Amino acid sequence: MLYRELLSTQADILCLQEVDRLEKIIPALNKAGYAHHYAAGPGKKHGCLIAFKKQLYTMISAKTILYDVEEVRSDGDDAARRGKSFETKNIGSLVSLQSNTAGKAEGLIVATTHLFWHPRYTYERARQAGILVRETNNFRKELDVEHWPCIIGGDFNFAPDDIAYSLLVGDSILSEQKDVITPSYVVHMSVDPSAVPDPRPEAGEGNEESGDPDKVITSARAATPSDGLLSLTELSNFFARIPSLRSAYDVGLARIKNLGDLQTFGSRVNLGSDRRGRYEPEYTSYTHYWKTTLDYIFVLDPIDRESNVVALLSPHRTKDLEHGLPQTGVSSSDHVSLAAEFCWSRDKLTYKVNLSIEAETES
């Protein structure tokens, strides 16, 4: 069921998260004509996988972003320069793919990630999201291919009304978002072992997304200036220095005049007509604990072209998800698949790519 769903869109590129059982999935991808790159965080039992059709692309280089060691400021000691609140072992995985059909001058950067899952660590997720975009853009610059588009897809573990989404797409920060992120300015004992442990069960490796989403922060202390966490002003400035992203679904569905009975995130959450994110799928995860939108396909356009969303895989209707996920005939994972086709035009050249993202692929 999983492999059938993965291959059903016949995507040029696949971005997969929480991938394990490589001995099973790699042969299936190879048989279907895909090459791949796999990366995982230190000690993680699952990781991120980018697969691409060998006939269409050749991988030129790859990079793994270790969020735990990336710096977000230039002042202070090592820990302060990193400005993190939790040692999460999450990563971003990047590859540069040269086109085999449009000439060696054409290609794209593909990035995928699975950001920290704990619902209360809003700051840490925003920090990781900013690092991902910064390093993806730097990767493109280092390769001297700023005329290549960047596709960034994955499980971001935040909804379109989250502060991290707003920062990524260039929207202003709302007062409600400030209220949500403020309690997450803490330092977990994974960063500072002297933080007083809490006797209650701790969230960690092995029970991701299986606990109560309203679970409070435990085993942590309040952050101090010496910890280096970016203030709200510093966080806004951090994102202002990196390019804003465009979401395939938010852009693509917004252009459809009549969506019929298709509901979007904005159908159930009032974002306001001037806010981005209203046209994201209504749900991308639907389980006992999680019923929300967490997964996205973002694009960072080349310096000389703007992307055009040509086609999208239609989101599921809520009635089809009500029995929960995974579900035979609906989704092989507790996250649904997303897929988009893009094109970039310059002069007489039109360059197309279609991409699919699938989260939670354990088998």
Side-chain angles (χ1 to χ4, degrees):
M1 178 178 169
L2 172 62
Y3 306 137
R4 188 164 57 248
E5 182 176 347
L6 286 178
L7 302 176
S8 63
T9 60
Q10 298 183 338
D12 298 342
I13 299 165
L14 299 168
C15 291
L16 315 177
Q17 302 80 47
E18 288 204 79
V19 178
D20 60 8
R21 305 297 292 273
L22 293 176
E23 75 281 3
K24 290 189 174 183
I25 193 169
I26 297 304
L29 291 173
N30 288 342
K31 185 178 180 181
Y34 290 93
H36 76 280
H37 175 73
Y38 175 83
K44 283 276 191 177
K45 297 178 181 178
H46 50 72
C48 296
L49 187 148
I50 298 172
F52 52 94
K53 287 187 176 179
K54 292 181 284 188
Q55 184 179 0
L56 299 179
Y57 297 102
T58 298
M59 190 175 79
I60 303 301
S61 58
K63 178 179 180 178
T64 300
I65 305 168
L66 302 176
Y67 296 128
D68 289 338
V69 303
E70 289 290 335
E71 297 181 354
V72 293
R73 61 168 70 246
S74 58
D75 57 309
D77 60 18
D78 287 348
R81 290 197 299 273
R82 292 169 181 168
K84 65 184 177 184
S85 62
F86 202 115
E87 185 94 7
T88 73
K89 302 179 182 179
N90 291 76
I91 66 163
S93 179
L94 317 178
V95 299
S96 60
L97 301 178
Q98 186 180 78
S99 174
N100 294 337
T101 59
K104 291 184 178 180
E106 293 296 331
L108 69 160
I109 306 297
V110 180
T112 192
T113 194
H114 178 213
L115 299 187
F116 187 43
W117 72 273
H118 196 297
R120 295 304 185 192
Y121 278 84
T122 306
Y123 165 82
E124 184 57 34
R125 247 184 321 278
R127 171 187 172 273
Q128 293 180 359
I131 289 171
L132 174 64
V133 178
R134 181 191 69 186
E135 293 306 304
T136 300
N137 193 43
N138 287 344
F139 185 60
R140 180 169 67 172
K141 288 181 178 179
E142 291 163 5
L143 296 172
D144 195 24
V145 289
E146 291 185 82
H147 60 290
W148 287 11
C150 300
I151 304 293
I152 305 175
D155 178 357
F156 289 79
N157 270 319
F158 54 68
D161 58 351
D162 188 271
I163 189 172
Y165 185 98
S166 296
L167 289 167
L168 280 179
V169 300
D171 276 352
S172 59
I173 298 176
L174 303 175
S175 59
E176 309 93 271
Q177 295 173 328
K178 294 179 181 179
D179 292 341
V180 172
I181 195 174
T182 298
S184 70
Y185 276 86
V186 301
V187 175
H188 186 260
M189 65 180 300
S190 60
V191 176
D192 176 9
S194 68
V196 179
D198 191 294
R200 287 173 291 185
E202 182 56 66
E205 183 77 22
N207 66 340
E208 293 191 8
E209 300 183 359
S210 62
D212 184 349
D214 295 324
K215 186 175 180 178
V216 297
I217 290 175
T218 63
S219 303
R221 60 168 175 80
T224 65
S226 63
D227 293 313
L229 276 67
L230 298 174
S231 68
L232 279 172
T233 298
E234 291 173 322
L235 193 62
S236 295
N237 291 338
F238 181 92
F239 277 87
R241 292 191 294 269
I242 59 179
S244 295
L245 304 181
R246 302 168 70 230
S247 164
Y249 275 81
D250 194 45
V251 170
L253 291 181
R255 292 175 177 170
I256 299 175
K257 293 182 179 180
N258 183 8
L259 292 174
D261 64 345
L262 180 64
Q263 301 293 297
T264 65
F265 185 81
S267 303
R268 64 181 181 86
V269 177
N270 183 17
L271 288 182
S273 60
D274 60 335
R275 306 292 292 182
R276 296 176 179 87
R278 293 182 297 129
Y279 288 94
E280 297 289 359
E282 185 178 18
Y283 297 101
T284 67
S285 181
Y286 203 96
T287 68
H288 176 72
Y289 290 115
W290 297 88
K291 294 179 179 65
T292 190
T293 302
L294 302 172
D295 309 273
Y296 308 96
I297 299 175
F298 292 114
V299 61
L300 174 56
D301 283 323
I303 58 174
D304 60 347
R305 289 172 285 177
E306 184 174 284
S307 59
N308 185 28
V309 180
V310 177
L312 294 169
L313 179 66
S314 180
H316 290 286
R317 271 61 173 174
T318 305
K319 63 181 181 180
D320 297 325
L321 304 175
E322 288 177 346
H323 294 294
L325 299 177
Q327 185 183 152
T328 301
V330 178
S331 176
S332 58
S333 164
D334 58 351
H335 291 235
V336 300
S337 295
L338 303 178
E341 182 176 348
F342 299 92
C343 75
W344 293 266
S345 295
R346 183 179 62 218
D347 299 329
K348 295 182 180 180
L349 172 68
T350 298
Y351 181 54
K352 288 188 177 182
V353 59
N354 64 71
L355 175 143
S356 178
I357 168 179
E358 171 81 18
E360 328 305 329
T361 64
E362 298 105 323
S363 54

